[in-house]
Amino acid sequence: MAKYDKQVKELLDYIGGKQNIQAVSHCMTRMRFVLTDPAKADEKKINEIDCVKGTFTQAGQYQVIIGNDVANFYNEFTKYAGIEGVSKDAVKQAAKTNQSVLQRIMGALGEIFAPIIPALICGGLVLGFRNVIGEINFFNNGTQSLADISQFWAGMYSFLWLIGEAVFHLLPVGIVWSITKKMGTTQILGIILGLTLVSPQLLNGFNVATATEIPVWDFGFFQIQMIGYQGQVITAIMAGFVLVFLEKFFKKHCPEVVSMIVVPFCSLIPAVFIAHAVVGPIGWRIGDAIAFVVNLGLTSNVRWLFAAVFGLVYAPIVMTGLHHMTNAIDSQLVNTTGGTILWPMIALSNIAQGSSVLAMSVLQKRNERAQQVNVPACISCYLGVTEPALFGVNLKYKFPLICGMIGSAIAAMISVGTGVEALSIGVGGLPGILSIKPQFYLNFLLAMIVAVVVPFILTFIVGKKKLTDSQKGLVSLPSGSSGGSQPNLAQSNTQDGSEAAAPARTETDENGADDSAASYETMVLKAPLTGKVIPIEKMPDEVFSQKIMGDGVGIEPDGDTVYAPADATVGVVMADSGHACGLVLKNGLEILIHVGIDTVDMNGDGFTLHVKEGDTVRCGDPLITFSPEKIRAAGHPVTTAVIITGEGEAKNIRLLSGMDAKAGQTVIATFE
């Protein structure tokens, strides 16, 4: 009988049978399925299979966590099911076909904006703080801001715009770079294309609505307007994909000997021309259409109905960068009527999206990684800058975005229905009430309460059902995984590395190396990498950080080689990708070393595996060499997990973290 005969049969049955499997592959720890109908998978029963450590769905893939022995399980499963396993790339492609068009668009946007999120969060907080010191009139009966009465804060207000402009006005540079990075083309060409969209030679896009004359490039028989696309998302995305298409086309058809000259030249120049002659004007036409519809709606007899629609769609409009077109309408209303009913709706939409993030923060209060994005995104959103919240949280999970849109629509109806007007464009968040005409304070306050409460409640209710335990930061292990394969480790409280010294004799040889390995071969694990050792809870992957595979530590590497942390036998390797290795010590202690997160997708590019299954290694022998630059260029964290997946006969295991480790010398775990 095969080792996993019973479990394989159960998994095939509970996952919906052979007919429900489009594709299947595996990585170092997980079976990766693309299912025809994910609803047919009985997650509760799958989690009860005794070798299954957990399940989750990501990017259209249904992933079942098995552990170090996943390769054997996979072989038995595919043989019993009578299906052919496929490559991981094929699984990813199949997963995309399992998603709706909207899901694929959202997924692509998410992948494009993921590398930009840290900048958006930083810029959002900077602009939020800038709004507080320069846009809110706290002093002299509401006529002056902090920047108006203090030269220091006036200077700070001006200085901070250097960062704000770089993040938001010059956003097309980051977007085009991210597209070329995602599509595997030349990133510097993407940066240059992005710079041509925001060049100071062009008329600033924010000044187009009020400009009396727009400069042009005159080619004799036709002209192109010299307009910048500051803050524009749609134009940048379309231009980026034009460049990607051209570069891939010329790489395919150009001889290698002249490709270094021909490909960049023939890709960049047409891409810049198309961006300004075709793509850019399309973006402006879309913006003009939005401005026309908004103005028509504000002057119609059914303004309350328009308010509902505008409140609903404003957040997605922000994600395109076309929301700046409304500034011209706001300015026109202020100049002609002495106030604007449009801007209060914008402020309410921002508040609503911030409230969705607040609910996500409550739901994910135990998920430290998620909170690193949730908290600053919520703060900046409530201070009037929504991009960090939209791209960093709400778009990622989708349902918070929709819940925020619903709350915004209801709040907008209240605002317009009760005639709320603002004196002018103000801070688009909670402090925005200071820009409202005093006679409408109570009406706007009611709308604000709705914009806070409704999205929060909706997001909280939906999130309770849709978020997995790992996304919430809860450790949720199935009953079958609590046996010998799941170690019960005592985590050291040491954060400064003071406990990392071995408990007995330590000598140093003439080269300065630690000579204690022989004394402690069966008592310690030494760092397999040089770098910063962090608690496993800080790993940027929920399977590791929630200890589903077992307890351990993470290492932020400074080097490029993984060494054996102890004398051991190589139990398992990922021969095709080379990104992970499993070791077994003499006492049965099992260790998994996994370089980077989701690096299986790199298909071995940047990895060299120095061992094979069954090899015997000594402490300090090289296991894997990798390229941190290639891992980062592929968009993956380089953080490496060192997981104890089985404790064998080891007792009183203690993990040490918080110190700077040296490969082969610094102790990261002790045991008896």
Side-chain angles (χ1 to χ4, degrees):
M1 178 181 288
K3 181 178 179 181
Y4 294 108
D5 183 68
K6 176 176 177 289
Q7 295 91 336
V8 160
K9 292 177 181 178
E10 290 176 339
L11 180 57
L12 183 62
D13 182 30
Y14 299 155
I15 212 162
K18 176 181 177 180
Q19 65 277 9
N20 197 37
I21 301 174
Q22 288 190 47
V24 61
S25 182
H26 76 94
C27 60
M28 189 68 179
T29 60
R30 315 164 199 181
M31 295 280 285
R32 296 169 176 251
F33 293 93
V34 178
L35 302 179
T36 303
D37 183 2
K40 290 183 178 180
D42 191 330
E43 187 167 330
K44 182 178 179 181
K45 288 185 177 180
I46 292 173
N47 279 324
E48 290 173 353
I49 299 174
D50 57 20
C51 67
V52 172
K53 294 178 171 62
T55 62
F56 64 99
T57 300
Q58 185 178 61
Q61 296 181 30
Y62 188 78
Q63 302 190 17
V64 180
I65 304 165
I66 302 296
N68 282 9
D69 207 26
V70 67
N72 290 328
F73 186 94
Y74 169 82
N75 291 334
E76 292 185 27
F77 182 89
T78 52
K79 182 178 179 181
Y80 173 77
I83 56 179
E84 290 287 337
V86 299
S87 70
K88 298 165 191 69
D89 280 344
V91 168
K92 289 179 70 177
Q93 292 302 316
K96 291 180 179 179
T97 66
N98 205 30
Q99 297 175 312
S100 67
V101 173
L102 180 60
Q103 285 176 321
R104 276 179 273 174
I105 292 173
M106 290 294 193
L109 282 175
E111 290 181 29
I112 289 170
F113 279 92
I116 308 173
I117 287 172
L120 292 176
I121 289 175
C122 176
L125 291 175
V126 165
L127 289 191
F129 178 67
R130 191 171 178 269
N131 284 342
V132 171
I133 64 176
E135 303 295 336
I136 302 175
N137 295 329
F138 287 116
F139 305 98
N140 295 332
N141 297 320
T143 60
Q144 290 183 303
S145 67
L146 184 60
D148 292 329
I149 64 173
S150 166
Q151 185 57 50
F152 171 81
W153 290 112
M156 182 63 70
Y157 178 79
S158 177
F159 172 76
L160 290 177
W161 179 237
L162 183 67
I163 302 172
E165 180 187 45
V167 174
F168 294 107
H169 278 209
L170 308 185
L171 183 60
V173 179
I175 291 174
V176 182
W177 160 76
S178 185
I179 289 172
T180 56
K181 176 173 174 288
K182 168 181 163 53
M183 301 304 294
T185 54
T186 308
Q187 296 174 35
I188 187 61
L189 295 183
I191 293 172
I192 294 171
L193 174 59
L195 289 171
T196 68
L197 296 175
V198 294
S199 169
Q201 298 180 37
L202 310 173
L203 174 64
N204 190 299
F206 293 100
N207 298 330
V208 170
T210 56
T212 56
E213 183 179 357
I214 297 177
V216 297
W217 287 293
D218 193 339
F219 295 90
F221 59 94
F222 73 97
Q223 296 178 336
I224 299 176
Q225 291 183 326
M226 298 174 63
I227 294 177
Y229 298 96
Q230 286 78 2
Q232 294 289 316
V233 174
I234 287 181
T235 298
I237 290 175
M238 290 193 294
F241 280 107
V242 167
L243 175 63
V244 166
F245 171 80
L246 289 171
E247 183 174 349
K248 287 188 173 183
F249 175 83
F250 286 111
K251 274 186 177 179
K252 182 178 179 180
H253 294 89
C254 178
E256 186 69 27
V257 67
V258 293
S259 64
M260 183 64 73
I261 299 173
V262 174
V263 173
F265 185 84
C266 292
S267 302
L268 185 61
I269 292 179
V272 174
F273 186 86
I274 293 170
H276 286 277
V278 181
V279 170
I282 289 175
W284 279 112
R285 296 293 183 276
I286 296 173
D288 289 341
I290 290 174
F292 174 78
V293 171
V294 170
N295 195 36
L296 186 65
L298 289 173
T299 57
S300 71
N301 294 325
V302 287
R303 292 189 300 176
W304 61 271
L305 180 59
F306 167 79
V309 174
F310 183 84
L312 187 70
V313 303
Y314 183 72
I317 290 175
V318 171
M319 295 187 330
T320 69
L322 296 174
H323 60 297
H324 299 296
M325 298 297 179
T326 61
N327 290 341
I329 301 173
D330 268 319
S331 300
Q332 179 183 342
L333 288 171
V334 171
N335 292 333
T336 57
T337 67
T340 171
I341 63 174
L342 176 62
W343 184 85
M345 291 192 289
I346 293 173
L348 292 169
S349 176
N350 295 350
I351 294 169
Q353 292 299 322
S355 299
S356 290
V357 179
L358 180 63
M360 290 296 292
S361 185
V362 173
L363 288 167
Q364 297 181 303
K365 60 185 177 182
R366 297 185 184 178
N367 187 333
E368 183 176 343
R369 183 186 177 198
Q371 291 294 70
Q372 292 174 358
V373 177
N374 291 344
V375 174
C378 181
I379 293 172
S380 66
C381 203
Y382 276 154
L383 291 177
V385 183
T386 57
E387 282 85 351
L390 291 172
F391 293 115
V393 184
N394 295 352
L395 177 63
K396 176 181 177 181
Y397 295 98
K398 300 179 184 63
F399 70 87
L401 174 66
I402 296 171
C403 293
M405 290 165 61
I406 293 171
S408 171
I410 298 172
M413 289 177 67
I414 295 173
S415 177
V416 171
T418 58
V420 173
E421 284 190 24
L423 292 165
S424 64
I425 299 172
V427 180
L430 291 175
I433 193 171
L434 299 176
S435 299
I436 302 299
K437 291 183 177 180
Q439 63 267 35
F440 298 116
Y441 274 171
L442 290 179
N443 297 344
F444 188 72
L445 182 61
L446 174 62
M448 283 179 64
I449 292 172
V450 170
V452 171
V453 174
V454 171
F456 181 91
I457 293 176
L458 289 177
T459 303
F460 189 84
I461 292 172
V462 177
K464 287 278 282 187
K465 296 181 179 180
K466 291 187 72 70
L467 291 177
T468 64
D469 285 342
S470 61
Q471 288 173 329
K472 294 175 186 175
L474 304 173
V475 178
S476 179
L477 296 176
S479 58
S481 66
S482 59
S485 65
Q486 186 65 31
N488 181 18
L489 306 183
Q491 181 74 32
S492 169
N493 292 324
T494 301
Q495 296 299 316
D496 59 2
S498 60
E499 294 291 331
R505 177 179 63 87
T506 300
E507 296 180 0
T508 303
D509 65 16
E510 62 184 4
N511 295 319
D514 188 348
D515 191 40
S516 60
S519 301
Y520 313 144
E521 283 176 358
T522 60
M523 296 179 63
V524 302
L525 293 180
K526 298 199 173 184
L529 275 165
T530 297
K532 178 74 173 180
V533 183
I534 61 174
I536 196 64
E537 291 84 357
K538 293 187 177 180
M539 281 291 297
D541 179 88
E542 292 171 352
V543 172
F544 295 137
S545 65
Q546 304 306 322
K547 305 180 185 179
I548 294 174
M549 286 299 303
D551 213 338
V553 298
I555 300 179
E556 299 287 358
D558 289 334
D560 62 0
T561 302
V562 176
Y563 300 94
D567 291 359
T569 299
V570 178
V572 61
V573 296
M574 289 294 290
D576 56 344
S577 60
H579 76 289
C581 178
L583 303 176
V584 182
L585 275 61
K586 290 180 181 179
N587 62 359
L589 187 74
E590 298 178 9
I591 307 161
L592 168 66
I593 303 173
H594 192 287
V595 181
I597 303 302
D598 290 330
T599 42
V600 66
D601 295 339
M602 296 174 65
N603 297 314
D605 183 28
F607 293 89
T608 301
L609 191 62
H610 301 294
V611 293
K612 62 182 182 299
E613 190 173 329
D615 283 355
T616 299
V617 294
R618 298 280 294 175
C619 181
D621 286 349
L623 303 176
I624 301 169
T625 301
F626 60 94
S627 169
E629 294 77 17
K630 284 192 175 183
I631 294 174
R632 295 189 182 99
H636 303 300
V638 75
T639 312
T640 296
V642 184
I643 308 295
I644 297 178
T645 55
E647 59 183 350
E649 298 176 359
K651 306 295 181 184
N652 300 323
I653 302 171
R654 296 180 68 234
L655 296 167
L656 309 171
S657 62
M659 62 282 192
D660 291 319
K662 190 171 182 180
Q665 296 186 26
T666 306
V667 176
I668 61 171
T670 64
F671 54 91
E672 298 174 2

